[in-house]
Amino acid sequence: DAGITQSPRYKITETGRQVTLMCHQTWSHSYMFWYRQDLGHGLRLIYYSAAADITDKGEVPDGYVVSRSKTENFPLTLESATRSQTSVYFCASSESGYTDTQYFGPGTRLTVL
Amino acid sequence: GDSVTQMEGPVTLSEEAFLTINCTYTATGYPSLFWYVQYPGEGLQLLLKATKADDKGSNKGFEATYRKETTSFHLEKGSVQVSDSAVYFCALSGYTNAGKSTFGDGTTLTVKP
């Protein structure tokens, strides 16, 4: 199906473990984004990518790593998960990134114990 | 840098009441302005947008007008329904922000029958 998908939808892990959240879009959009959503903080940008092999830090990048070897995929890795990374993570994409609409995935709810 | 300030919530209304959610922004240049809506358990989706001053965005009975003189983009609906219960985010995006969007903190709307 066309659109933007995230996997897994729910994940429980332990402190110190590595976790990778997947994001896949079928539109060939140039821009992709990772956000985290926490009560009281709204949406905060973690990393974004303007094209394959081009990534840049957002507002809260510490503890996260991204890669984008293919246009359609933008995985987010927590190298050593901490409890403060318990959150809902949203991936989004847009065609140009500047004035275009962002299309959001359904989110991944991550709990770090 | 760019910023978006939204009316604090939560907002509780009775069905058929008039809705206003205030949004003001600070930005350089001429950003595009957006309202996104997030229904429970879902990602954000575009509700409406406006790309230049005095433009009016509209969708599903919701409207917002891009007011450059007051740097505002208030969301209005004449008669809300229970199905409008959701979190509403105001956002801006522009060429000065390297392709990123800036989001407000969100306003939770609950409509009671």
Side-chain angles (χ1 to χ4, degrees), chain B residues 4-34:
Chain B
V4 175
T5 302
Q6 269 184 250
M7 167 179 168
E8 289 189 17
V11 175
T12 302
L13 296 174
S14 297
E15 207 165 22
E16 299 184 3
F18 184 85
L19 168 71
T20 299
I21 300 177
N22 291 337
C23 172
T24 57
Y25 68 91
T26 301
T28 53
Y30 301 93
S32 291
L33 301 175
F34 305 81

mmCIF file of all heavy atoms in Angstrom, chain B residues 4-34:
data_model
loop_
_atom_site.group_PDB
_atom_site.id
_atom_site.type_symbol
_atom_site.label_atom_id
_atom_site.label_comp_id
_atom_site.label_asym_id
_atom_site.label_seq_id
_atom_site.Cartn_x
_atom_site.Cartn_y
_atom_site.Cartn_z
ATOM 1 N N VAL B 4 6.385 28.978 17.193
ATOM 2 C CA VAL B 4 4.927 28.954 17.093
ATOM 3 C C VAL B 4 4.359 28.878 18.499
ATOM 4 O O VAL B 4 4.773 28.028 19.292
ATOM 5 C CB VAL B 4 4.449 27.746 16.269
ATOM 6 C CG1 VAL B 4 2.927 27.664 16.289
ATOM 7 C CG2 VAL B 4 4.952 27.838 14.833
ATOM 8 N N THR B 5 3.421 29.752 18.791
ATOM 9 C CA THR B 5 2.772 29.756 20.097
ATOM 10 C C THR B 5 1.293 29.476 19.916
ATOM 11 O O THR B 5 0.600 30.191 19.186
ATOM 12 C CB THR B 5 2.947 31.111 20.799
ATOM 13 O OG1 THR B 5 4.344 31.386 20.930
ATOM 14 C CG2 THR B 5 2.309 31.080 22.181
ATOM 15 N N GLN B 6 0.844 28.434 20.560
ATOM 16 C CA GLN B 6 -0.561 28.045 20.465
ATOM 17 C C GLN B 6 -1.274 28.315 21.764
ATOM 18 O O GLN B 6 -0.674 28.272 22.847
ATOM 19 C CB GLN B 6 -0.676 26.537 20.227
ATOM 20 C CG GLN B 6 -0.708 26.119 18.832
ATOM 21 C CD GLN B 6 -0.918 24.629 18.689
ATOM 22 O OE1 GLN B 6 0.000 23.937 18.295
ATOM 23 N NE2 GLN B 6 -2.124 24.146 18.990
ATOM 24 N N MET B 7 -2.572 28.524 21.625
ATOM 25 C CA MET B 7 -3.450 28.641 22.785
ATOM 26 C C MET B 7 -3.319 27.383 23.630
ATOM 27 O O MET B 7 -3.337 26.268 23.107
ATOM 28 C CB MET B 7 -4.864 28.779 22.257
ATOM 29 C CG MET B 7 -5.974 28.624 23.228
ATOM 30 S SD MET B 7 -7.504 28.874 22.300
ATOM 31 C CE MET B 7 -8.666 28.293 23.500
ATOM 32 N N GLU B 8 -3.161 27.564 24.918
ATOM 33 C CA GLU B 8 -3.018 26.419 25.792
ATOM 34 C C GLU B 8 -4.348 25.709 25.980
ATOM 35 O O GLU B 8 -5.402 26.327 26.018
ATOM 36 C CB GLU B 8 -2.469 26.860 27.147
ATOM 37 C CG GLU B 8 -1.006 27.277 27.086
ATOM 38 C CD GLU B 8 -0.413 27.492 28.455
ATOM 39 O OE1 GLU B 8 -1.017 27.026 29.443
ATOM 40 O OE2 GLU B 8 0.649 28.133 28.545
ATOM 41 N N GLY B 9 -4.280 24.418 26.101
ATOM 42 C CA GLY B 9 -5.496 23.656 26.338
ATOM 43 C C GLY B 9 -5.523 23.121 27.750
ATOM 44 O O GLY B 9 -4.787 23.596 28.598
ATOM 45 N N PRO B 10 -6.322 22.106 27.978
ATOM 46 C CA PRO B 10 -7.266 21.573 27.006
ATOM 47 C C PRO B 10 -8.503 22.460 26.852
ATOM 48 O O PRO B 10 -8.797 23.270 27.719
ATOM 49 C CB PRO B 10 -7.658 20.218 27.607
ATOM 50 C CG PRO B 10 -7.472 20.401 29.074
ATOM 51 C CD PRO B 10 -6.327 21.370 29.244
ATOM 52 N N VAL B 11 -9.168 22.280 25.721
ATOM 53 C CA VAL B 11 -10.390 23.010 25.424
ATOM 54 C C VAL B 11 -11.547 22.009 25.402
ATOM 55 O O VAL B 11 -11.454 20.981 24.744
ATOM 56 C CB VAL B 11 -10.295 23.715 24.053
ATOM 57 C CG1 VAL B 11 -11.625 24.367 23.691
ATOM 58 C CG2 VAL B 11 -9.170 24.743 24.051
ATOM 59 N N THR B 12 -12.587 22.316 26.136
ATOM 60 C CA THR B 12 -13.773 21.452 26.168
ATOM 61 C C THR B 12 -14.976 22.259 25.718
ATOM 62 O O THR B 12 -15.232 23.340 26.255
ATOM 63 C CB THR B 12 -14.018 20.894 27.574
ATOM 64 O OG1 THR B 12 -12.865 20.158 28.004
ATOM 65 C CG2 THR B 12 -15.229 19.956 27.579
ATOM 66 N N LEU B 13 -15.680 21.749 24.712
ATOM 67 C CA LEU B 13 -16.850 22.434 24.162
ATOM 68 C C LEU B 13 -18.016 21.464 24.057
ATOM 69 O O LEU B 13 -17.818 20.247 23.963
ATOM 70 C CB LEU B 13 -16.542 22.985 22.775
ATOM 71 C CG LEU B 13 -15.472 24.074 22.669
ATOM 72 C CD1 LEU B 13 -15.203 24.387 21.198
ATOM 73 C CD2 LEU B 13 -15.925 25.329 23.396
ATOM 74 N N SER B 14 -19.193 22.018 24.017
ATOM 75 C CA SER B 14 -20.380 21.219 23.720
ATOM 76 C C SER B 14 -20.565 21.128 22.219
ATOM 77 O O SER B 14 -20.126 22.020 21.469
ATOM 78 C CB SER B 14 -21.622 21.846 24.354
ATOM 79 O OG SER B 14 -21.501 21.860 25.757
ATOM 80 N N GLU B 15 -21.199 20.069 21.781
ATOM 81 C CA GLU B 15 -21.471 19.903 20.352
ATOM 82 C C GLU B 15 -22.197 21.130 19.816
ATOM 83 O O GLU B 15 -23.054 21.707 20.486
ATOM 84 C CB GLU B 15 -22.298 18.644 20.139
ATOM 85 C CG GLU B 15 -22.125 18.004 18.783
ATOM 86 C CD GLU B 15 -22.659 16.579 18.739
ATOM 87 O OE1 GLU B 15 -23.510 16.225 19.574
ATOM 88 O OE2 GLU B 15 -22.199 15.817 17.876
ATOM 89 N N GLU B 16 -21.844 21.538 18.601
ATOM 90 C CA GLU B 16 -22.404 22.680 17.870
ATOM 91 C C GLU B 16 -21.874 24.020 18.366
ATOM 92 O O GLU B 16 -22.292 25.066 17.850
ATOM 93 C CB GLU B 16 -23.929 22.669 17.895
ATOM 94 C CG GLU B 16 -24.523 21.420 17.226
ATOM 95 C CD GLU B 16 -26.037 21.452 17.165
ATOM 96 O OE1 GLU B 16 -26.625 22.460 17.589
ATOM 97 O OE2 GLU B 16 -26.622 20.470 16.685
ATOM 98 N N ALA B 17 -20.960 24.041 19.317
ATOM 99 C CA ALA B 17 -20.363 25.299 19.767
ATOM 100 C C ALA B 17 -19.366 25.803 18.735
ATOM 101 O O ALA B 17 -18.898 25.064 17.871
ATOM 102 C CB ALA B 17 -19.676 25.104 21.114
ATOM 103 N N PHE B 18 -19.021 27.098 18.854
ATOM 104 C CA PHE B 18 -18.025 27.722 17.982
ATOM 105 C C PHE B 18 -16.632 27.487 18.567
ATOM 106 O O PHE B 18 -16.421 27.605 19.765
ATOM 107 C CB PHE B 18 -18.301 29.221 17.881
ATOM 108 C CG PHE B 18 -17.385 29.937 16.932
ATOM 109 C CD1 PHE B 18 -17.672 29.983 15.580
ATOM 110 C CD2 PHE B 18 -16.232 30.569 17.390
ATOM 111 C CE1 PHE B 18 -16.836 30.643 14.681
ATOM 112 C CE2 PHE B 18 -15.389 31.231 16.504
ATOM 113 C CZ PHE B 18 -15.692 31.272 15.159
ATOM 114 N N LEU B 19 -15.696 27.171 17.670
ATOM 115 C CA LEU B 19 -14.337 26.878 18.098
ATOM 116 C C LEU B 19 -13.360 27.909 17.567
ATOM 117 O O LEU B 19 -13.411 28.270 16.378
ATOM 118 C CB LEU B 19 -13.902 25.503 17.578
ATOM 119 C CG LEU B 19 -12.408 25.167 17.709
ATOM 120 C CD1 LEU B 19 -12.038 24.930 19.165
ATOM 121 C CD2 LEU B 19 -12.055 23.956 16.857
ATOM 122 N N THR B 20 -12.489 28.387 18.437
ATOM 123 C CA THR B 20 -11.314 29.150 18.023
ATOM 124 C C THR B 20 -10.120 28.609 18.783
ATOM 125 O O THR B 20 -10.165 28.493 20.005
ATOM 126 C CB THR B 20 -11.452 30.650 18.342
ATOM 127 O OG1 THR B 20 -12.567 31.191 17.651
ATOM 128 C CG2 THR B 20 -10.199 31.395 17.914
ATOM 129 N N ILE B 21 -9.056 28.300 18.055
ATOM 130 C CA ILE B 21 -7.778 27.958 18.676
ATOM 131 C C ILE B 21 -6.763 28.958 18.126
ATOM 132 O O ILE B 21 -6.526 29.020 16.921
ATOM 133 C CB ILE B 21 -7.324 26.521 18.362
ATOM 134 C CG1 ILE B 21 -8.359 25.510 18.860
ATOM 135 C CG2 ILE B 21 -5.963 26.255 19.003
ATOM 136 C CD1 ILE B 21 -8.015 24.063 18.529
ATOM 137 N N ASN B 22 -6.180 29.723 19.026
ATOM 138 C CA ASN B 22 -5.264 30.775 18.603
ATOM 139 C C ASN B 22 -3.874 30.246 18.305
ATOM 140 O O ASN B 22 -3.371 29.347 18.979
ATOM 141 C CB ASN B 22 -5.165 31.856 19.676
ATOM 142 C CG ASN B 22 -6.441 32.658 19.813
ATOM 143 O OD1 ASN B 22 -7.242 32.737 18.886
ATOM 144 N ND2 ASN B 22 -6.656 33.253 20.974
ATOM 145 N N CYS B 23 -3.264 30.834 17.294
ATOM 146 C CA CYS B 23 -1.896 30.490 16.921
ATOM 147 C C CYS B 23 -1.203 31.760 16.440
ATOM 148 O O CYS B 23 -1.713 32.446 15.551
ATOM 149 C CB CYS B 23 -1.884 29.447 15.819
ATOM 150 S SG CYS B 23 -0.242 29.123 15.119
ATOM 151 N N THR B 24 -0.061 32.069 17.022
ATOM 152 C CA THR B 24 0.759 33.165 16.551
ATOM 153 C C THR B 24 2.156 32.636 16.286
ATOM 154 O O THR B 24 2.564 31.615 16.842
ATOM 155 C CB THR B 24 0.834 34.322 17.567
ATOM 156 O OG1 THR B 24 1.330 33.812 18.816
ATOM 157 C CG2 THR B 24 -0.527 34.948 17.792
ATOM 158 N N TYR B 25 2.883 33.329 15.431
ATOM 159 C CA TYR B 25 4.188 32.809 15.040
ATOM 160 C C TYR B 25 5.223 33.921 14.971
ATOM 161 O O TYR B 25 4.887 35.108 14.857
ATOM 162 C CB TYR B 25 4.100 32.095 13.690
ATOM 163 C CG TYR B 25 3.813 33.027 12.527
ATOM 164 C CD1 TYR B 25 4.842 33.625 11.798
ATOM 165 C CD2 TYR B 25 2.504 33.340 12.170
ATOM 166 C CE1 TYR B 25 4.586 34.484 10.756
ATOM 167 C CE2 TYR B 25 2.235 34.207 11.129
ATOM 168 C CZ TYR B 25 3.275 34.773 10.433
ATOM 169 O OH TYR B 25 3.008 35.646 9.403
ATOM 170 N N THR B 26 6.463 33.501 15.030
ATOM 171 C CA THR B 26 7.613 34.373 14.791
ATOM 172 C C THR B 26 8.468 33.691 13.752
ATOM 173 O O THR B 26 8.838 32.518 13.920
ATOM 174 C CB THR B 26 8.438 34.578 16.076
ATOM 175 O OG1 THR B 26 7.607 35.143 17.084
ATOM 176 C CG2 THR B 26 9.614 35.509 15.807
ATOM 177 N N ALA B 27 8.757 34.392 12.674
ATOM 178 C CA ALA B 27 9.550 33.789 11.607
ATOM 179 C C ALA B 27 10.156 34.880 10.749
ATOM 180 O O ALA B 27 9.605 35.974 10.631
ATOM 181 C CB ALA B 27 8.687 32.866 10.752
ATOM 182 N N THR B 28 11.277 34.546 10.137
ATOM 183 C CA THR B 28 11.848 35.452 9.142
ATOM 184 C C THR B 28 11.287 35.068 7.779
ATOM 185 O O THR B 28 10.934 33.907 7.537
ATOM 186 C CB THR B 28 13.373 35.352 9.125
ATOM 187 O OG1 THR B 28 13.734 33.977 8.958
ATOM 188 C CG2 THR B 28 13.965 35.857 10.432
ATOM 189 N N GLY B 29 11.206 36.030 6.918
ATOM 190 C CA GLY B 29 10.707 35.755 5.585
ATOM 191 C C GLY B 29 9.216 35.505 5.567
ATOM 192 O O GLY B 29 8.465 36.041 6.383
ATOM 193 N N TYR B 30 8.797 34.669 4.633
ATOM 194 C CA TYR B 30 7.376 34.430 4.414
ATOM 195 C C TYR B 30 7.084 32.931 4.481
ATOM 196 O O TYR B 30 7.045 32.247 3.458
ATOM 197 C CB TYR B 30 6.981 34.996 3.039
ATOM 198 C CG TYR B 30 7.266 36.474 2.931
ATOM 199 C CD1 TYR B 30 8.472 36.939 2.418
ATOM 200 C CD2 TYR B 30 6.340 37.412 3.389
ATOM 201 C CE1 TYR B 30 8.735 38.295 2.345
ATOM 202 C CE2 TYR B 30 6.590 38.763 3.312
ATOM 203 C CZ TYR B 30 7.795 39.199 2.797
ATOM 204 O OH TYR B 30 8.062 40.542 2.731
ATOM 205 N N PRO B 31 6.879 32.429 5.682
ATOM 206 C CA PRO B 31 6.673 30.980 5.823
ATOM 207 C C PRO B 31 5.303 30.545 5.330
ATOM 208 O O PRO B 31 4.388 31.365 5.191
ATOM 209 C CB PRO B 31 6.785 30.762 7.330
ATOM 210 C CG PRO B 31 6.299 32.053 7.915
ATOM 211 C CD PRO B 31 6.787 33.124 6.979
ATOM 212 N N SER B 32 5.148 29.265 5.097
ATOM 213 C CA SER B 32 3.836 28.651 4.935
ATOM 214 C C SER B 32 3.346 28.247 6.321
ATOM 215 O O SER B 32 4.146 27.894 7.189
ATOM 216 C CB SER B 32 3.921 27.414 4.037
ATOM 217 O OG SER B 32 4.214 27.787 2.715
ATOM 218 N N LEU B 33 2.032 28.298 6.490
ATOM 219 C CA LEU B 33 1.436 27.987 7.787
ATOM 220 C C LEU B 33 0.493 26.812 7.652
ATOM 221 O O LEU B 33 -0.196 26.667 6.634
ATOM 222 C CB LEU B 33 0.689 29.200 8.337
ATOM 223 C CG LEU B 33 1.536 30.457 8.538
ATOM 224 C CD1 LEU B 33 0.655 31.629 8.961
ATOM 225 C CD2 LEU B 33 2.619 30.221 9.585
ATOM 226 N N PHE B 34 0.463 25.976 8.679
ATOM 227 C CA PHE B 34 -0.281 24.725 8.629
ATOM 228 C C PHE B 34 -1.053 24.511 9.933
ATOM 229 O O PHE B 34 -0.624 24.940 11.002
ATOM 230 C CB PHE B 34 0.664 23.521 8.475
ATOM 231 C CG PHE B 34 1.594 23.592 7.302
ATOM 232 C CD1 PHE B 34 2.766 24.336 7.355
ATOM 233 C CD2 PHE B 34 1.307 22.888 6.140
ATOM 234 C CE1 PHE B 34 3.630 24.394 6.287
ATOM 235 C CE2 PHE B 34 2.172 22.931 5.054
ATOM 236 C CZ PHE B 34 3.332 23.682 5.128
#
